Amino acid sequence: MSLDVSPALLDQARNGRVDEADFLDTVRGSLPYAYQVVAGLSAELASGGAEFTTDNTTPSDDQRAQLLRALASNAIRGSLEDHFGVKLAFVNCHRVGAFRPGSEDSEAYREFTSLHNQIRNQSPELRSC
């Protein structure tokens, strides 16, 4: 299960109106490592003039699982992007990049998400991620 959903949030979903702040609180509580990575990357991106920033930390299996759950879900990923004002990209199972919104056509974004960058980020210890 990706998120620890409270009965109140479940009621919101059943009624067709989920409060974005409540959803993000659930993401923060359920996937704290993933939330922390995105928060850190967005702060780093906002504080400098770089086109993007990336996290090259090799996480534990539990941390990696959080990243996978957060970034594999369009709803979670989209909410994180909207909240932090970034465009996220993901390589392998642990390397997250934060780009400025609208940069999907940039050379840096295309390079980060390219087939050859995916291959370069492979390693035997990450085979099962």
Side-chain angles (χ1 to χ4, degrees), residues 8-108:
L9 189 61
L10 187 56
D11 284 343
Q12 287 181 29
R14 287 183 179 137
N15 292 321
R17 302 201 86 190
V18 175
D19 181 80
E20 186 78 19
D22 292 343
F23 183 71
L24 281 167
D25 283 343
T26 299
V27 170
R28 184 183 307 118
S30 302
L31 306 170
Y33 178 77
Y35 189 93
Q36 172 191 338
V37 167
V38 175
L41 289 173
S42 66
E44 185 178 331
L45 187 63
S47 70
E51 196 171 353
F52 76 100
T53 187
T54 185
D55 180 62
N56 285 315
T57 305
T58 301
S60 69
D61 286 344
D62 289 340
Q63 292 168 329
R64 185 179 307 119
Q66 286 187 38
L67 288 173
L68 286 168
R69 291 195 312 269
L71 297 172
S73 164
N74 288 344
I76 296 171
R77 176 187 241 172
S79 291
L80 289 169
E81 288 175 334
D82 290 346
H83 178 70
F84 289 109
V86 297
K87 175 65 179 169
L88 297 172
F90 195 44
V91 176
N92 205 356
C93 58
H94 68 283
R95 188 166 180 224
V96 181
F99 291 78
R100 299 187 190 286
S103 65
E104 294 86 345
D105 290 330
S106 72
E107 181 61 31

